[in-house]
Amino acid sequence: MSADTLLANPADFEIDITINDAGWRDVLSSDKIDINTLAGAAIRAAATAPQPPVFQELSIALVSDDEIQALNREYRGKDKPTNVLSFSAQMDGMPSPILGDIVLARETISAEAKKLGIYLSFHLTHLIIHGFYHLCDYDHEDDKEAAHMQALEIAALKRLDIANPYDTELTL
């Protein structure tokens, strides 16, 4: 079964969205963003990548900069906020119906979108796709890996009629 068939219907997978930072409600409301629809579209667009994972569920947590900084410090040894973190549910390469968690930081993401002069919804979509590819074991540790991951992101965003985010100076 192809990825398009597997994930063609939103009922084929579940996205559990948790809002840990109340500020996200204001941001999403003021920008008229339906996070469930946005996240579903982003994951379906990204899941057409080569060898997409078969999964039934993934989680997205909308957090503050303070919360993501604590996670970044604990799991990556970097004591600063970041825009997105991904945590795979895969154990020792064993398939799991739960793909993992994508964590998104409100203040950082909002500031980046403003600095770039782009819609918050576009930047949020990009970061969900970026986080999803990390859950699929893509990375950007060296130039070759980064170029490959960026190409996948650009193609997924193009399916959603969102411009190439790497035409800007901001890097993830």
Side-chain angles (χ1 to χ4, degrees):
M1 185 180 321
S2 75
D4 289 339
T5 304
L6 177 66
L7 300 174
N9 184 327
D12 291 332
F13 66 97
E14 182 178 325
I15 301 175
D16 178 29
I17 298 175
T18 304
I19 300 176
N20 290 355
D21 173 61
W24 268 109
R25 293 186 197 288
D26 295 335
V27 168
L28 295 172
S29 176
S30 69
D31 284 15
K32 297 180 174 68
I33 296 171
D34 177 340
I35 190 61
N36 293 302
T37 301
L38 183 144
I43 298 302
R44 279 189 298 283
T48 60
Q51 302 176 343
V54 176
F55 67 99
Q56 296 170 349
E57 181 180 344
L58 67 90
S59 296
I60 295 176
L62 304 176
V63 305
S64 67
D65 271 12
D66 289 342
E67 187 172 347
I68 209 162
Q69 182 171 347
L71 292 168
N72 206 19
R73 180 176 50 247
E74 181 176 346
Y75 292 100
R76 298 180 65 224
K78 297 182 179 189
D79 192 13
K80 62 181 184 176
T82 188
N83 50 19
V84 61
L85 291 173
S86 298
F87 299 95
S88 178
Q90 304 292 317
M91 300 294 275
D92 298 322
M94 299 298 294
S96 168
I98 301 171
L99 188 59
D101 304 313
I102 299 170
V103 183
L104 300 154
R106 176 181 53 84
E107 298 98 317
T108 297
I109 292 170
S110 295
E112 289 172 347
K114 186 175 181 176
K115 179 181 176 183
L116 293 168
I118 61 174
Y119 293 116
L120 178 66
S121 62
F122 288 1
H123 193 45
L124 191 54
T125 299
H126 175 217
L127 293 173
I128 291 170
I129 289 169
H130 184 86
F132 177 80
Y133 285 138
H134 277 304
L135 294 177
C136 297
D137 291 328
Y138 291 100
D139 215 329
H140 44 83
E141 293 298 317
D142 63 43
D143 290 344
K144 184 177 178 182
E145 287 178 349
H148 182 65
M149 188 170 171
Q150 286 178 7
L152 292 172
E153 292 171 18
I154 292 164
L157 288 164
K158 186 175 182 179
R159 286 189 273 283
L160 298 170
D161 293 323
I162 298 175
N164 176 354
Y166 295 102
D167 283 343
T168 68
E169 292 184 295
L170 179 70
T171 58
L172 297 174

